[in-house]
Amino acid sequence: MSVVQTRVIADGRWATRTLDIHQILARNKEEKTMPQELQTGPKPPIWGLLTKTVVRSPVIKSIIPARVRHRSKNDVVFVYEDFIEIKEIVGGERTEDDPLSDVSLDNTVIKRDFDSCILAARVFGLPRQPKVPRYPGRFWDEEYKAEASPETKPDPFREHEIPPQILVLTLASRILVFLFGYYDVHEEIHFLSSTKQLPAQIPLIEELGVHLAVDPKSRAMAVGAYETRVTFYALESMEQMREKVQSSEGLNATNFKPVRDERHLHVDGFILKMDFLHPSKGDEYHVILLLVVSKDQRTRLVRFEWDSRSPLSDLERKPGQTLPHPERLPLLLIPLTYGAAFALVCEKQIIVYRHILAGHAKSEVCNLEHYEPPEEPGASKNLPIWTQWARPMRIAEAERPHPNVDHIYLCREDGVVRFIDIREDSEPMVSSIYRAGILNANVGTAFATLDLGEESNDLIVAAGEMGDGGLWYFRPREPVDMVGTIRNWTPLRDMMSAITAHPAGDAVLNGKTGSVKPARLFACSGRGPRHGAITEIRTGTEAVKLGPAIDLGELADRGLDHMWALPDRSNFGIYLMVAHPTGTELILLPASDDLDPRVLVRSDVEELDLDVTTIAAGSTAEGFIIQVTPTSVNAIAQENGVLPFSSKLETGTITAASFLTIPMKTTILLTVVRKEHGFYLHHGQFGVHAGRIAFLELGEAIQLQSETSSVSVHWIDDRIVAFVGTLAGTLQSYTADPGSSLTPQFEYSFGRGDPSSSLICDSLALLTTPKRIKEESKYLLMCGLRNGVVDTLLYDASNADTPLSSCDSIELGHTSVKVLPDATRSSRAIAACEQVLYTFDYLAIPSGTDAAIVSPVWLTDPGNPALMQRPLTCFTQASSKIPQGYPTFGAGSLFYMAGGTLLLADLSLSPEPQMVPRRLPLNGTPTRVIYSKQLNKLVVLYTVTRVDPSSRNSSRRDRPASRRLYPTIGFIDPDAETLRSHLDDDGTPELFQITDVKPQERFLGLLEWLPTNGDDPYRILVVNTVVGQPASEQATGRLLLFSLTMDRAGKVNLNLKKGIDKEAPVWCVTSYGNNSLIYACGDDIVLQKLDMSTKHFEAPTKITLRCRATHISVSGGLLFVSTRGSGCHAIYPSEGKLQLLCAATSGRSEIYHLKAPGMPIVLSTDNECRVAGLWLNVTGELESTVQIGRTAPLLFEARGPGSITRLCEVPTPSWLGMFPKLPPSIIVGSSEDGALYQFIVVSEHSWRLLVFIQNMAMRDPRVCPYPSPLVHEQHIEPRDAGPKKQNRHINGDILERLLRQGGVTLLEEMLAKEPDPNRMFADYRSGDDRRQRFDELVDAAGWAEQDRRVERVVEAIGMMLVPVI
């Protein structure tokens, strides 16, 4: 087939696209024969498309250990497709008792404002050294701290300091980025970057930047293209950069220019590999660049040499050297650390070259035969190849006992790792090759060794290619230990949404609530028996399960209400105090791995009252444990010699209580007592007097006007502030100085003055912003109301008249919300509503608005990726008073009670929602998944691969064995944690292998079809296939019809009823009406009806298209068809035939489509990373408005970083229901690289306003620090740009960054900024004119009143950008 390649700009970068010549001719024919109805028909409306990245792709391109934030930060840089993530290695300290202590990657910092694909990444700066010098058997102590290297020696934390290494990135937008992180005085991370424009690409296919290399001594770097071009850069030294950039007043960003000179080089051929070589010892100024170049099926070594003391004009090209034929396609180029030697790794051998500076390099070949078969022999027809190498970090450069020896880890794509010794003075040079271990992962280029210090074993990190990656400990002659997981849910082949039944009944399942149950997203991910799975896509706050589940047995039957986790200081355990209506249980959880609980009885703690329920409990900094019951206040000390305290109420009953520990002072207790004449507010403080715990009442009790529902006491601006919720729907605030009486301050009504509204606050938490942007006397109150709403109030202590004002209302459900402040983070609260747990994180941005990020909490278990979260009974956190050093529990540990089971978990500290996937493992590669509502099961089509052992010749282990593929249909309970096989003892069949398989038959799709005969539906599972090579003219296909039944015991039976042979491949199938199927057979769309009386299909109705279909859907009586080369079609079945209603005007190679809910728009996706909106122009009754042969006008078009392969509807979360401009459903799309996006179609006026704001943001370096040069050439006013409509796309990621970088404040600054006089053609004449136009756009869109336009616009954008999953 004749094909041509072309280049297009996608997401600010050039991308190569392959087009069939017949497809191009079809497009030209379409343009010439386009129907003329478009010219005379109604004018299409103007709509825009708002896109936002919900989940970024987990594919990691490279892993670079480097200290790019601070010399004390042992960082690892993960380079993804379009963002970077910096994590710190924590733990791993070795002791005599624990030689292999916990190690993890934590403290994540993400930078995702590149707005372009990252092609390559490297670091330069000081040489990488271990964090601890080599002193056998010794650890950090005062005796040898002074002997540590400057890079690794512990030092006082200093802000505004350049780290030892600097990260350099090449972007597809032809920008070279130099980047490092630094800390301000509040220890908050910031990034300083410098950019340099790469030379323009003359042949578009060059892709300058795919190759990036840095000199070992950081004197130079080189950027290469796929072919022809290399740019050589001379770099400033780290000492010179520190002198220019670093000062006592901070960092001078304008002087951060690492490049001091550059030179462009021409290379004749394709560049396969490029790297710098290490010069010989003593040759300090010699820089050697080596390229492996291929041309005309010959591969040569090309070398450039430069003396770093001379100008770049003296850079010399040396004579090349042709490589032998077996070495012409090397997989890896490994520079060795001595004498400009290097190694080339090929499929079956490693070749070491030396003495290249003398002219013709000498080589030595060592075989790299496959000493063991592939880990997954059925994964491919080919043997696995070597994908990456790494040098272990154990011995400092100066202390290496053998300086001319290189130790290399070599990793194979199936996870096999070799350890290789290469010695300069030995014969052969490759002295040994060891089997280091096997990683349970498919590994690509993301593979590295991490720095734990030279007293440790090697720690290796690798990202998975077709599944999860991880962290592994490598120890000599011992098995590999996996100590961490790096999630990967790619490739993501299929995705669907389902509203499933749930064991919890009406309980909320997915962090969303409302009268309609939320949708759950399931996807086919991974590949092979180790990584294939059905993944439930969830976002939120992760809580990692610690230790085993604790069965509390009969305690669950007592109706548990509340619980508190208090430290047991004597045994490093936890006292878990659990309250139920008739009493209190005290459970001791010891600091052991099994967490075996011990229920204490009254004789164990006589000072506490366990016979009645507990209203409140807490612990103090002194170690006191305090219990408040309806009739008493009790306190015990955990230190010998301090006597307990107990006070019984003579009259009245305590109805509510709250504790406050004033820093470095005392503990305050606030109580509400019900007496005969009303309710009274008391407060006092605890202390120690005469060896006994004492309680001192402070001031007179205050009589309340209404019965209370909750109380809470806080320390704000050196004053005590108490909040009291009442049954009258109000919140009262009281203040007091330490040691004095409370005085009333203010009363806030939740009913907003509406007497019919009685909103009762049952609990509340006070949040504060982080200290880097903390505004004095400003706090956010999270009030959990009885009607399922969380009301957020702003508390301003400096405003004596109205300290409380309303911010937002967030609906979580319809029952009471319990809110607790996070024990360790002042900016977070934890809330529970309708058996679901949430986190509320106060936005840490100076936006001018006060809001909180809402995220559901998801429990995960590293040992059970399919863990299904059970409905919540009650929860608590371990007290912040837990001292450091607890072996099992830590401050803030989450205790999650589900029925009678107690789970301990570690709550993620990330303030933003993260992807928290749930994996249902399969033993094969899934391709399609659907949900059967009748069965309440997921139906999965996947392939099981088995290897024929008889085909493997033991004498030729380098040849792959024969394999057989078995298509299988699985039925999975979406709430189950295990997948039962048909071989189980209970005989429940859930996996069915299809035995009727033809040679070379591939199974493409699934459909649950429910034809009816009256009121009696049949369940039929339809499978469509292709037989033979899909592109060949001899390929055929089949439709397989299976009967699907389930008995009362839940047993599923699947039986093949009929196989229908077709003359062409059956690409896709769907149902139409009650008893008809529509399928794509070759280039035909076929409608065929099943006669229920005869159980036979009637004669088919066909329509032939130009290209084969890729997806068919039915909506409103119309068929919508995506095709491979002629765009999207709408087909109208009428009068026994199929008529083409309308079609797209361009010949797109489409993948998928979806009818927008409630709108005459079809969203379609194609292979060129585009999402387009087509206007159907069908109104009223279909029969009266149909016009055959029209074109579907293109309304908008958006380009993204990857092709969208699936689209589905997701209900809008209930907390967004208050924003009327949002549709009831939002479209979510997925790409094969695991990224998820959400799409919202907006009106013309909203589009004009949003694009106006986006164009301003793209010119602001705080929002878009790496813009394309074309940004400043386009006018900020949105224009209608002709037929392609690319400018009708709004990039929600840019708008989100605008909110995070400043929100209201930043938008005000951008509106007021005076335009650049050199670019008046792209802006307004003045800031006032720009602001006036903004006001006009806001008024036209109807988004805000005249007095608060900017604030309302920012709030509206924030609502529209909230992720729906």
Side-chain angles (χ1 to χ4, degrees):
M1 181 179 292
S2 300
V3 296
V4 296
Q5 286 189 335
T6 184
R7 298 284 287 172
V8 298
I9 294 179
D11 187 36
R13 68 181 190 272
W14 286 103
T16 304
R17 301 289 184 245
T18 302
L19 298 178
D20 178 8
I21 189 66
H22 301 292
Q23 180 179 336
I24 298 176
L25 294 175
R27 291 187 182 183
N28 295 337
K29 182 179 179 181
E30 284 184 272
E31 294 176 359
K32 293 178 181 179
T33 61
M34 187 182 300
Q36 298 300 314
E37 284 80 1
L38 178 63
Q39 306 297 329
T40 59
K43 183 179 180 181
I46 296 178
W47 274 316
L49 183 66
L50 172 63
T51 67
K52 178 180 182 300
T53 305
V54 181
V55 175
R56 295 186 178 270
S57 170
V59 176
I60 301 174
K61 304 176 72 169
S62 60
I63 301 175
I64 306 175
R67 300 174 187 268
V68 295
R69 291 186 297 172
H70 191 268
R71 68 177 67 185
S72 63
K73 299 292 184 180
N74 193 6
D75 286 339
V76 183
V77 181
F78 292 83
V79 181
Y80 293 81
E81 185 70 20
D82 57 358
F83 71 101
I84 63 172
E85 184 178 33
I86 303 175
K87 295 188 176 183
E88 183 180 3
I89 306 172
V90 297
E93 300 299 331
R94 304 175 60 80
T95 63
E96 294 180 0
D97 297 332
D98 186 10
L100 195 63
S101 60
D102 292 339
V103 63
S104 62
L105 297 174
D106 207 348
N107 303 328
T108 299
V109 177
I110 299 177
K111 185 172 175 61
R112 49 192 174 206
D113 54 3
F114 298 104
D115 293 324
S116 182
C117 177
I118 300 174
L119 300 180
R122 293 290 186 273
V123 293
F124 66 92
L126 299 179
R128 182 185 172 202
Q129 298 289 344
K131 68 175 184 178
V132 183
R134 190 170 188 267
Y135 292 90
R138 297 166 62 185
F139 300 92
W140 281 116
D141 54 39
E142 297 296 332
E143 184 176 349
Y144 69 93
K145 277 184 180 180
E147 303 176 26
S149 64
E151 178 187 339
T152 61
K153 177 182 175 180
D155 57 35
F157 186 87
R158 291 187 295 180
E159 68 276 2
H160 299 102
E161 179 180 344
I162 297 181
Q165 281 96 32
I166 293 175
L167 181 67
V168 56
L169 308 170
T170 54
L171 304 183
S173 54
R174 294 192 297 108
I175 295 177
L176 190 62
V177 178
F178 300 92
L179 177 72
F180 67 86
Y182 67 93
Y183 288 86
D184 60 17
V185 294
H186 300 300
E187 298 187 18
E188 293 291 334
I189 184 68
H190 301 271
F191 287 99
L192 183 65
S193 62
S194 174
T195 61
K196 188 171 184 60
Q197 193 71 34
L198 291 174
Q201 300 169 180
I202 305 303
L204 298 180
I205 201 171
E206 280 186 353
E207 196 79 79
L208 186 62
V210 293
H211 294 291
L212 179 61
V214 174
D215 172 60
K217 296 185 178 180
S218 300
R219 299 162 297 184
M221 59 176 286
V223 176
Y226 282 120
E227 61 173 328
T228 308
R229 305 180 69 185
V230 174
T231 301
F232 194 100
Y233 296 95
L235 301 179
E236 299 277 5
S237 67
M238 290 297 292
E239 292 77 10
Q240 292 171 329
M241 278 189 286
R242 283 199 173 105
E243 291 178 1
K244 295 179 179 180
V245 179
Q246 198 168 291
S247 67
S248 59
E249 299 179 356
L251 298 177
N252 190 340
T254 58
N255 289 341
F256 179 45
K257 297 178 180 180
V259 174
R260 59 184 176 90
D261 198 3
E262 64 181 275
R263 181 176 172 184
H264 306 297
L265 308 175
H266 178 81
V267 178
D268 189 16
F270 290 92
I271 302 173
L272 303 180
K273 302 292 175 184
M274 182 180 75
D275 213 333
F276 285 88
L277 303 182
H278 292 255
S280 302
K281 300 294 182 182
D283 196 358
E284 299 298 329
Y285 304 102
H286 200 176
V287 179
I288 309 162
L289 177 64
L290 179 69
L291 293 89
V292 182
V293 180
S294 175
K295 184 180 180 182
D296 298 332
Q297 298 185 356
R298 298 177 62 188
T299 303
R300 296 178 57 83
L301 297 176
V302 178
R303 189 174 85 254
F304 293 90
E305 297 185 23
W306 175 57
D307 189 322
S308 61
R309 296 169 294 184
S310 61
L312 273 185
S313 58
D314 293 342
L315 179 69
E316 296 183 53
R317 175 170 180 163
K318 299 297 182 178
Q321 176 178 336
T322 303
L323 296 177
H325 185 77
E327 305 170 19
R328 66 187 182 93
L329 294 175
L331 301 172
L332 300 172
L333 168 61
I334 306 176
L336 303 181
T337 57
Y338 45 81
F342 61 95
L344 296 178
V345 178
C346 300
E347 289 190 29
K348 298 182 180 181
Q349 58 189 12
I350 179 171
I351 307 98
V352 180
Y353 283 83
R354 54 182 172 177
H355 307 317
I356 191 173
L357 300 182
H360 192 83
K362 297 181 180 179
S363 64
E364 179 182 296
V365 179
C366 178
N367 289 330
L368 272 180
E369 298 291 342
H370 290 263
Y371 298 99
E372 56 187 300
E375 280 298 293
E376 295 183 70
S380 173
K381 295 180 181 179
N382 303 315
L383 288 172
I385 62 174
W386 305 101
T387 56
Q388 191 56 284
W389 66 278
R391 190 171 277 117
M393 278 299 300
R394 293 193 215 143
I395 304 173
E397 190 75 21
E399 298 179 6
R400 294 172 57 184
H402 305 287
N404 292 344
V405 176
D406 265 298
H407 306 288
I408 302 294
Y409 277 113
L410 196 60
C411 184
R412 209 168 66 180
E413 63 180 335
D414 61 344
V416 173
V417 179
R418 302 287 181 199
F419 187 78
I420 303 177
D421 282 337
I422 304 177
R423 300 174 181 267
E424 183 184 27
D425 54 358
S426 69
E427 294 291 341
M429 291 183 64
V430 181
S431 59
S432 58
I433 301 179
Y434 302 99
R435 178 185 179 276
I438 298 176
L439 312 180
N440 185 28
N442 294 341
V443 183
T445 57
F447 173 85
T449 59
L450 303 186
D451 178 10
L452 280 182
E454 54 192 356
E455 292 295 334
S456 67
N457 296 289
D458 292 325
L459 180 65
I460 285 183
V461 58
E465 285 280 286
M466 297 290 181
D468 291 344
L471 285 169
W472 290 269
Y473 267 119
F474 275 66
R475 295 172 293 182
R477 296 172 295 280
E478 293 188 29
V480 175
D481 291 316
M482 188 173 184
V483 296
T485 300
I486 299 175
R487 290 196 181 104
N488 185 0
W489 49 91
T490 62
L492 202 155
R493 296 182 182 84
D494 194 16
M495 182 184 71
M496 49 80 63
S497 63
I499 299 177
T500 66
H502 191 260
D506 293 333
V508 183
L509 174 65
N510 209 26
K512 323 285 191 300
T513 59
S515 58
V516 180
K517 288 186 177 180
R520 302 164 68 181
L521 292 180
F522 294 93
C524 297
S525 65
R527 185 173 183 269
R530 292 192 300 178
H531 305 293
I534 296 299
T535 297
E536 182 175 3
I537 297 173
R538 312 177 303 187
T539 60
T541 302
E542 183 177 11
V544 181
K545 181 172 169 285
L546 303 174
I550 303 171
D551 185 8
L552 297 182
E554 60 185 23
L555 292 181
D557 300 330
R558 300 183 183 180
L560 306 182
D561 293 331
H562 298 87
M563 62 179 178
W564 301 265
L566 310 171
D568 171 22
R569 295 197 173 193
S570 58
N571 299 306
F572 296 100
I574 286 288
Y575 287 116
L576 194 65
M577 188 176 292
V578 183
H580 51 83
T582 60
T584 301
E585 305 293 338
L586 191 62
I587 304 169
L588 176 60
L589 299 178
S592 59
D593 293 335
D594 56 2
L595 296 177
D596 186 20
R598 175 192 169 198
V599 180
L600 304 181
V601 297
R602 183 168 182 81
S603 59
D604 297 320
V605 282
E606 297 180 354
E607 301 85 355
L608 301 180
D609 191 352
L610 304 182
D611 295 331
V612 296
T613 188
T614 298
I615 296 176
S619 62
T620 70
E622 299 87 352
F624 302 165
I625 292 180
I626 304 173
Q627 178 200 26
V628 180
T629 73
T631 58
S632 65
V633 176
N634 309 297
I636 61 174
Q638 300 189 61
E639 298 179 1
N640 295 330
V642 180
L643 299 178
F645 168 84
S646 181
S647 174
K648 297 283 187 180
L649 266 68
E650 298 180 358
T651 60
T653 303
I654 300 176
T655 61
S658 178
F659 298 98
L660 167 65
T661 298
I662 300 176
M664 307 300 294
K665 293 185 179 180
T666 185
T667 297
I668 300 295
L669 172 62
L670 185 73
T671 59
V672 174
V673 180
R674 180 205 301 264
K675 295 183 180 180
E676 182 179 356
H677 301 292
F679 293 84
Y680 294 85
L681 183 64
H682 298 257
H683 92 288
Q685 66 184 29
F686 285 93
V688 178
H689 180 70
R692 178 184 294 273
I693 300 176
F695 180 75
L696 175 63
E697 188 91 13
L698 299 175
E700 296 292 331
I702 299 176
Q703 185 172 6
L704 305 175
Q705 300 300 317
S706 177
E707 184 175 351
T708 59
S709 57
S710 61
V711 295
S712 183
V713 60
H714 305 276
W715 182 252
I716 300 177
D717 294 345
D718 297 327
R719 300 197 74 197
I720 298 171
V721 180
F723 297 100
V724 179
T726 72
L727 295 185
T730 63
L731 184 67
Q732 301 171 355
S733 62
Y734 299 82
T735 62
D737 292 322
S740 62
S741 303
L742 290 170
T743 58
Q745 185 186 28
F746 184 74
E747 185 174 34
Y748 174 84
S749 175
F750 291 105
R752 314 295 197 275
D754 183 2
S756 64
S757 176
S758 178
L759 307 179
I760 300 171
C761 177
D762 282 337
S763 59
L764 60 88
L766 184 74
L767 307 186
T768 64
T769 53
K771 56 188 174 183
R772 71 180 176 94
I773 59 159
K774 182 175 178 180
E775 300 179 12
E776 295 296 333
S777 308
K778 195 173 182 181
Y779 301 84
L780 197 67
L781 274 176
M782 311 299 297
C783 303
L785 305 186
R786 193 164 292 183
N787 64 349
V789 172
V790 175
D791 234 19
T792 61
L793 309 178
L794 183 65
Y795 180 77
D796 189 353
S798 62
N799 189 339
D801 296 330
T802 56
L804 288 173
S805 58
S806 175
C807 288
D808 200 1
S809 293
I810 303 169
E811 182 184 356
L812 298 181
H814 303 287
T815 60
S816 181
V817 180
K818 178 184 177 181
V819 180
L820 290 180
D822 189 278
T824 58
R825 293 172 61 94
S826 62
S827 59
R828 169 179 285 182
I830 306 175
C833 180
E834 295 185 358
Q835 300 179 310
V836 176
L837 206 59
Y838 303 84
T839 58
F840 287 76
D841 285 277
Y842 195 178
L843 283 179
I845 60 171
S847 63
T849 61
D850 296 274
I853 300 177
V854 187
S855 303
V857 174
W858 297 111
L859 287 174
T860 61
D861 185 354
N864 179 19
L867 177 68
M868 183 62 192
Q869 187 161 320
R870 299 178 60 187
L872 174 71
T873 303
C874 58
F875 76 99
T876 190
Q877 273 187 294
S879 169
S880 61
K881 310 302 186 302
I882 291 182
Q884 294 183 356
Y886 264 44
T888 306
F889 310 100
S893 295
L894 178 68
F895 291 82
Y896 185 101
M897 185 81 75
T901 302
L902 177 67
L903 301 175
L904 176 63
D906 185 15
L907 202 61
S908 170
L909 298 179
S910 174
E912 299 184 12
Q914 305 292 319
M915 176 70 167
V916 189
R918 172 175 169 258
R919 296 180 67 251
L920 296 167
L922 299 171
N923 62 337
T925 302
T927 54
R928 291 292 181 268
V929 58
I930 62 175
Y931 174 69
S932 171
K933 185 176 181 180
Q934 287 72 23
L935 303 178
N936 188 31
K937 290 184 181 292
L938 300 173
V939 186
V940 184
L941 176 63
Y942 67 102
T943 303
V944 176
T945 304
R946 295 192 179 98
V947 175
D948 184 4
S950 62
S951 67
R952 179 174 291 281
N953 187 342
S954 59
S955 62
R956 293 300 305 273
R957 307 181 74 180
D958 59 338
R959 291 183 177 180
S962 298
R963 60 177 189 162
R964 294 182 179 178
L965 307 180
Y966 297 90
T968 305
I969 296 177
F971 295 86
I972 303 175
D973 183 349
D975 302 319
E977 296 185 4
T978 58
L979 181 64
R980 293 176 296 173
S981 170
H982 63 287
L983 301 178
D984 287 345
D985 295 337
D986 62 1
T988 302
E990 290 192 356
L991 305 179
F992 296 88
Q993 181 179 306
I994 302 175
T995 56
D996 182 15
V997 181
K998 293 186 177 182
Q1000 293 187 326
E1001 185 170 24
R1002 293 176 54 196
F1003 290 70
L1004 303 180
L1006 277 177
L1007 170 69
E1008 185 185 27
W1009 186 30
L1010 302 174
T1012 58
N1013 187 7
D1015 296 331
D1016 187 16
Y1018 291 84
R1019 292 195 186 100
I1020 297 178
L1021 195 65
V1022 183
V1023 179
N1024 56 291
T1025 75
V1026 56
V1027 181
Q1029 295 297 326
S1032 68
E1033 296 181 356
Q1034 292 76 27
T1036 61
R1038 289 199 299 168
L1039 281 174
L1040 302 179
L1041 277 65
F1042 296 85
S1043 67
L1044 184 61
T1045 61
M1046 185 172 67
D1047 58 23
R1048 295 181 179 178
K1051 180 179 179 180
V1052 179
N1053 292 295
L1054 189 69
N1055 297 298
L1056 179 62
K1057 289 297 183 181
K1058 190 172 185 180
I1060 305 175
D1061 293 328
K1062 297 295 178 181
E1063 67 280 2
V1066 182
W1067 303 111
C1068 45
V1069 61
T1070 190
S1071 60
Y1072 183 81
N1074 291 331
N1075 303 323
S1076 298
L1077 285 179
I1078 293 181
Y1079 54 90
C1081 182
D1083 294 342
D1084 295 335
I1085 302 299
V1086 182
L1087 171 64
Q1088 204 161 6
K1089 184 176 182 180
L1090 178 65
D1091 188 336
M1092 297 302 297
S1093 61
T1094 62
K1095 303 297 189 295
H1096 289 87
F1097 282 100
E1098 298 178 358
T1101 302
K1102 300 182 180 179
I1103 184 173
T1104 301
L1105 305 179
R1106 296 189 185 94
C1107 306
R1108 73 170 180 88
T1110 58
H1111 177 58
I1112 301 177
S1113 68
V1114 177
S1115 178
L1118 292 178
L1119 313 182
F1120 298 98
V1121 182
S1122 291
T1123 63
R1124 193 167 186 175
S1126 57
C1128 187
H1129 298 64
I1131 299 175
Y1132 177 49
S1134 175
E1135 301 176 355
K1137 60 181 179 180
L1138 299 177
Q1139 302 180 78
L1140 182 62
L1141 175 62
C1142 57
T1145 59
S1146 60
R1148 300 171 183 268
S1149 181
E1150 295 198 340
I1151 303 174
Y1152 207 79
H1153 68 259
L1154 182 68
K1155 170 74 167 52
M1159 306 182 76
I1161 297 176
V1162 173
L1163 287 185
S1164 65
T1165 69
D1166 62 24
N1167 287 330
E1168 298 181 13
C1169 308
R1170 294 179 296 190
V1171 178
L1174 303 176
W1175 186 42
L1176 300 180
N1177 190 22
V1178 177
T1179 59
E1181 294 295 330
L1182 185 63
E1183 290 78 5
S1184 63
T1185 60
V1186 68
Q1187 298 179 15
I1188 305 303
R1190 294 182 297 105
T1191 58
L1194 180 67
L1195 296 178
F1196 49 75
E1197 181 179 279
R1199 287 187 182 271
S1203 294
I1204 304 297
T1205 56
R1206 288 295 181 269
L1207 296 168
C1208 63
E1209 282 184 52
V1210 175
T1212 303
S1214 61
W1215 57 76
L1216 294 182
M1218 64 195 71
F1219 189 56
K1221 292 181 176 59
L1222 286 182
S1225 298
I1226 293 178
I1227 298 175
V1228 173
S1230 65
S1231 61
E1232 195 163 353
D1233 64 0
L1236 276 81
Y1237 310 87
Q1238 66 185 37
F1239 305 95
I1240 299 177
V1241 179
V1242 298
S1243 65
E1244 175 184 358
H1245 295 299
S1246 297
W1247 159 69
R1248 292 189 183 279
L1249 172 61
L1250 291 174
V1251 172
F1252 184 90
I1253 298 172
Q1254 172 188 274
N1255 290 344
M1256 286 193 299
M1258 292 174 66
R1259 304 178 185 202
D1260 194 296
R1262 291 167 291 184
V1263 181
C1264 297
Y1266 317 107
S1268 168
L1270 297 177
V1271 168
H1272 298 281
E1273 307 299 326
Q1274 301 170 353
H1275 199 279
I1276 63 173
E1277 173 74 15
R1279 306 291 183 185
D1280 200 3
K1284 291 192 175 181
K1285 311 297 189 298
Q1286 285 98 339
N1287 71 339
R1288 293 186 184 175
H1289 170 217
I1290 307 112
N1291 190 335
D1293 296 338
I1294 294 177
L1295 297 180
E1296 184 180 45
R1297 290 205 303 268
L1298 184 151
L1299 300 187
R1300 298 297 173 88
Q1301 294 297 326
V1304 173
T1305 305
L1306 181 56
L1307 184 54
E1308 291 276 12
E1309 292 178 5
M1310 291 192 301
L1311 289 170
K1313 182 180 179 181
E1314 291 299 322
D1316 185 350
N1318 298 323
R1319 291 190 172 95
M1320 296 295 293
F1321 61 90
D1323 203 342
Y1324 290 92
R1325 294 183 178 180
S1326 66
D1328 292 337
D1329 291 344
R1330 192 190 304 114
R1331 179 58 185 259
Q1332 180 180 353
R1333 181 55 182 157
F1334 171 80
D1335 293 342
E1336 293 172 356
L1337 292 172
V1338 175
D1339 294 341
W1343 278 27
E1345 300 295 333
Q1346 294 183 2
D1347 57 340
R1348 295 188 61 195
R1349 288 190 179 93
V1350 175
E1351 291 85 349
R1352 293 303 183 190
V1353 167
V1354 169
E1355 291 174 4
I1357 293 175
M1359 285 288 187
M1360 298 181 75
L1361 297 180
V1362 172
V1364 297
I1365 59 174

